[in-house]
Amino acid sequence: MPAERAYPPDISPDVYKALGGAEMAIKASGLDPALIELVKMRASQINGCAYCLDMHSRDARRRGETEQRLYLLNAWRESSLYSGAERAALAWTEALTGLAHAHPGEQAYQDLLPHFSPKAIVDLTALVGMINLWNRLAIGLRYIHPVDKTAAA
């Protein structure tokens, strides 16, 4: 396994502090903490970020998220376990995370309106942007997730 390349807090503490400030603002925004973790998990699944998937699955479980909802997140459209608000947020997450392939359709935005205020939509959009940035840092700089030695193969 490749070694980590650089650890941002050590190499660029001012940038890392600013990113942490943005993360704290999102957490304090009023978005449901469980929804925040689902969005972070879904974007990290799409981007293939093992470090972030490990971190946010642990965070979600600590907040009371069920194993079943975490396992089925990749197939949320086919499951009845997710609320209308979660479905709209997950669709928005996928649309924004996949910008390189297509821009979000108007319907993805319209689907948010029954569930989120304009401020919450901005906060949700910032959340999606931040987790995509964290994914790029973790993947690009080869963050290595911790390994539970008792569970490792």
Side-chain angles (χ1 to χ4, degrees):
M1 173 173 282
E4 288 184 55
R5 294 182 178 172
Y7 188 55
D10 294 339
I11 305 300
S12 187
D14 291 340
V15 169
Y16 197 78
K17 182 178 178 182
L19 296 177
E23 188 70 27
M24 294 305 294
I26 290 167
K27 286 181 181 177
S29 71
L31 289 173
D32 177 19
L35 178 68
I36 289 173
E37 295 306 329
L38 288 178
V39 165
K40 288 179 177 184
M41 287 286 300
R42 185 66 193 118
S44 298
Q45 287 174 333
I46 294 165
N47 290 324
C49 185
Y51 183 89
C52 293
L53 284 167
D54 180 70
M55 176 192 306
H56 297 298
S57 64
R58 291 171 192 262
D59 291 346
R61 283 185 199 97
R62 275 194 293 273
R63 292 189 182 286
E65 188 58 78
T66 68
E67 295 292 320
Q68 186 178 28
R69 281 174 36 103
L70 291 177
Y71 294 147
L72 295 175
L73 184 58
N74 198 39
W76 63 267
R77 284 181 176 83
E78 288 78 39
S79 175
S80 63
L81 294 174
Y82 306 95
S83 70
E86 289 169 337
R87 290 174 176 284
L90 292 168
W92 190 241
T93 300
E94 290 179 359
L96 295 179
T97 299
L99 284 178
H101 306 292
H103 286 199
E106 182 62 21
Q107 191 59 52
Y109 181 81
Q110 292 298 321
D111 289 346
L112 294 170
L113 297 176
H115 306 286
F116 299 97
S117 69
K119 179 191 179 303
I121 292 171
V122 169
D123 295 339
L124 177 62
T125 303
L127 166 63
V128 174
M130 281 304 299
I131 189 56
N132 275 277
L133 175 57
W134 289 120
N135 289 165
R136 281 148 182 80
L137 281 168
I139 293 168
L141 300 177
R142 294 186 177 150
Y143 286 20
I144 299 169
H145 65 83
V147 175
D148 179 353
K149 301 291 185 198
T150 61

